[in-house]
Amino acid sequence: MYQSPRRLCSALLHRDAPGLRRRPGPGLRSQSSPPAAAPRRASLRLSAAASAASGAARWCSRPACSMGNGTSRLYSALAKTLNSSAASQHPEYLVSPDPGHLEPIDPKELLEECRAVLHTRPPRFQRDFVDLRTDCPGSHPPIRVMQWNILAQALGEGKDNFAQCPVEALKWEERKCLILEEILAYQPDILCLQEVDHYFDTFQPLLSRLGYQGTFFPKPWSPCLDVERNNGPDGCALFFLQNRFKLVHSANIRLTAMTLKTNQVAIAQTMECKESGRQFCIAVTHLKARTGWEQFRSAQGCDLLQNLQSITQGAKLPLIVCGDFNAEPTEEVYKRFASSSLNLDSAYKLLSADGQSEPPYTTWKIRTSGECRHTLDYIWYSKHALSVRSALDLLTEEQIGPNRLPSLNYPSDHLSLVCDFSFNEEPDGLL
Ligand SMILES: NC(=O)C1=CN([C@@H]2O[C@H](COP(=O)(O)OP(=O)(O)OC[C@H]3O[C@@H](n4cnc5c(N)ncnc54)[C@H](OP(=O)(O)O)[C@@H]3O)[C@@H](O)[C@H]2O)C=CC1
Ligand SMILES: [Mg+2]
């Protein structure tokens, strides 16, 4: 049977892709591969081939990809963003990108550029996708969603007080490339980010050239602005691949708590899947941090749920909510989401042996005030309308290492979460 290039790509990537493991049986928690001891350069040669193949496959249906002499143009694009460091005197976050710099780029070339910048660093760690399918493959390619608090550059350098993280690990010129490498490695269709303080000078121009459409909503009083030589406010960003989705509706939401406006935000977008014509809603948020604010977070979650009720027309549209909720699963805001009339479930529970437990951590760091290991980040989804086909396993304690995160190998104190979703076949079923 004829398969369109897009279908073929998806089949390669989502069915038999190397690194995809079956869900562990009861009582048998799957383990990620141990960290490679080889120096970065050696391992790059190996992983470049695999990644280039999968990168080419995943993006191959995008006609805009340039395969020609893109490296020099790309180099200048990356160099341009490298030069726009936090030391910039100009508020670049207020400046729209120059459309002249937005010609398409090949993800393989960007990956190579990133790897060249990172050649002195230890290799990225291997993380595997765990196959969670319980039914036959759907007729359309899955939707890959990535959730990640990428650590605002200004907060990492000026506020977070990481005690064991080497100063070199926080250099933006290199940390930026580690972030891009992570995104390019997993090639999400939709990317939900928190703590973005380099949207206009880095992520928007580069990701738009990879075919993404982006939206940024800064926090009204970003703590980044308190840091000397900051790069503007941090906020939430949502990117989606334009060749897969059409934007139907977009809302920037300033969250309230008991009717008071707060400093936390969300973006909620309704999209239409170009292959299937199915519509769904995707949201990204970053709730108030710190202990003592549990009721506040719960009120913010309540406000977000009310907004999402209205945007999904009373749960008629399938919904995915990504966020750094700054709340353990024991907190009220988590319980509100788990028991909401939107019929949501948390995707990463499916990685546990019983399918009922959240991962042991999604963030792990050592501050001057002590070690913090918490589960705070989630991907919620409409449990009747959507299925989780696979999820990216977390880094193991050994991979994270004794100095925890961020590190020379990993750019943020939060791990990225990545899931592949498919629509359930019953369009009129309960959401
Ligand atoms: N000028 C003004 O009038 C106002 C200014 N502000 C500014 O905003 C700040 C508060 O903003 P708000 O949005 O409520 O911030 P949050 O309390 O939500 O935290 C902001 C960031 O700090 C990180 N963080 C969490 N715990 C710690 C910790 N123990 N040490 C260091 N960093 C931590 C969080 O990261 P993570 O999510 O990864 O844990 C988060 O990104 C104020 O301190 C002030 O700087 C706020 C209001 C008004
Ligand atoms: Mg943070």
Side-chain angles (χ1 to χ4, degrees):
M1 192 182 80
Y2 170 77
Q3 278 190 298
S4 72
R6 175 73 221 182
R7 288 263 175 87
L8 199 56
C9 295
S10 300
L12 283 171
L13 282 161
H14 297 290
R15 293 190 196 136
D16 304 314
L20 188 77
R21 290 180 291 110
R22 297 294 301 178
R23 176 194 177 146
L28 186 69
R29 178 84 172 70
S30 70
Q31 294 293 309
S32 291
S33 319
R40 185 178 186 92
R41 197 180 279 280
S43 106
L44 286 181
R45 228 176 291 133
L46 287 174
S47 58
S51 188
S54 69
R58 193 156 180 87
W59 268 287
C60 69
S61 63
R62 194 172 325 118
C65 276
S66 80
M67 302 298 287
N69 64 342
T71 306
S72 54
R73 279 182 289 117
L74 172 62
Y75 179 77
S76 58
L78 191 58
K80 184 173 182 288
T81 71
L82 290 174
N83 290 334
S84 66
S85 71
S88 168
Q89 296 301 304
H90 304 290
E92 288 198 26
Y93 61 92
L94 293 176
V95 181
S96 289
D98 175 357
H101 290 102
L102 296 182
E103 75 254 51
I105 46 174
D106 183 344
K108 281 187 292 179
E109 292 173 359
L110 181 57
L111 200 53
E112 277 160 24
E113 286 295 327
C114 289
R115 286 176 172 159
V117 173
L118 296 168
H119 73 278
T120 57
R121 292 213 178 193
R124 275 181 77 252
F125 290 124
Q126 169 77 29
R127 290 169 71 186
D128 293 333
F129 279 91
V130 179
D131 190 346
L132 300 164
R133 284 173 300 176
T134 52
D135 59 352
C136 306
S139 51
H140 296 287
I143 298 171
R144 177 164 291 180
V145 177
M146 183 173 194
Q147 145 61 33
W148 200 15
N149 176 333
I150 59 170
L151 175 62
Q153 185 61 20
L155 299 183
E157 287 185 317
K159 288 240 169 185
D160 267 288
N161 300 317
F162 297 123
Q164 305 283 5
C165 172
V167 179
E168 317 87 79
L170 292 176
K171 276 166 63 182
W172 176 240
E173 289 76 6
E174 294 179 22
R175 201 173 74 83
K176 167 174 74 177
C177 290
L178 265 185
I179 296 172
L180 289 168
E181 205 184 21
E182 180 94 343
I183 295 168
L184 290 165
Y186 303 122
Q187 309 152 17
D189 299 309
I190 302 178
L191 178 59
C192 294
L193 303 176
Q194 299 83 31
E195 293 199 24
V196 177
D197 66 345
H198 277 271
Y199 179 83
F200 289 109
D201 65 353
T202 302
F203 293 107
Q204 198 279 339
L206 284 175
L207 292 175
S208 73
R209 295 179 62 186
L210 291 168
Y212 290 93
Q213 181 171 328
T215 301
F216 175 59
F217 193 23
K219 293 170 77 165
W221 292 102
S222 164
C224 293
L225 300 178
D226 296 342
V227 177
E228 208 183 330
R229 305 200 308 172
N230 66 76
N231 195 60
D234 76 307
C236 292
L238 200 160
F239 293 90
F240 66 86
L241 278 180
Q242 286 179 292
N243 68 348
R244 290 216 60 192
F245 311 108
K246 187 176 89 183
L247 184 61
V248 175
H249 176 261
S250 184
N252 284 1
I253 303 163
R254 181 172 179 183
L255 296 173
T256 65
M258 293 151 287
T259 71
L260 294 174
K261 286 180 182 169
T262 74
N263 201 26
Q264 276 63 40
V265 299
I267 303 169
Q269 299 193 326
T270 304
M271 324 212 168
E272 187 173 303
C273 218
K274 289 187 177 174
E275 296 99 347
S276 64
R278 301 280 300 264
Q279 289 197 356
F280 65 101
C281 176
I282 175 101
V284 52
T285 194
H286 185 189
L287 300 186
K288 169 73 187 160
R290 299 165 209 272
T291 49
W293 293 85
E294 294 79 8
Q295 288 306 309
F296 195 83
R297 275 192 285 280
S298 179
Q300 289 183 328
C302 188
D303 182 45
L304 180 56
L305 285 168
Q306 277 175 8
N307 274 281
L308 294 172
Q309 271 283 357
S310 142
I311 290 166
T312 59
Q313 303 150 31
K316 284 199 182 72
L317 288 177
L319 173 65
I320 300 170
V321 188
C322 293
D324 172 359
F325 279 62
N326 269 309
E328 289 276 4
T330 47
E331 258 194 56
E332 197 171 287
V333 65
Y334 181 96
K335 291 175 185 157
R336 273 189 192 275
F337 267 70
S339 61
S340 125
S341 58
L342 287 167
N343 285 317
L344 300 174
D345 211 344
S346 169
Y348 262 68
K349 282 197 311 185
L350 294 171
L351 281 185
S352 65
D354 64 359
Q356 300 297 314
S357 315
E358 290 289 352
Y361 48 81
T362 61
T363 178
W364 202 342
K365 61 205 129 204
I366 305 174
R367 289 200 166 108
T368 46
S369 52
E371 186 157 356
C372 319
R373 189 187 96 148
H374 296 291
T375 302
L376 307 177
D377 306 278
Y378 305 98
I379 301 179
W380 296 93
Y381 68 102
S382 298
K383 60 186 172 194
H384 301 307
L386 297 166
S387 292
V388 187
R389 304 184 66 76
S390 63
L392 183 65
D393 212 351
L394 297 163
L395 288 179
T396 63
E397 178 170 2
E398 293 89 324
Q399 288 174 319
I400 288 173
N403 294 330
R404 311 314 183 198
L405 304 173
S407 67
L408 287 166
N409 315 65
Y410 201 80
S412 175
D413 54 332
H414 291 252
L415 296 174
S416 63
L417 309 182
V418 186
C419 287
D420 287 341
F421 288 101
S422 59
F423 290 104
N424 291 338
E425 288 305 322
E426 187 71 60
D428 300 321
L430 281 173
L431 296 179

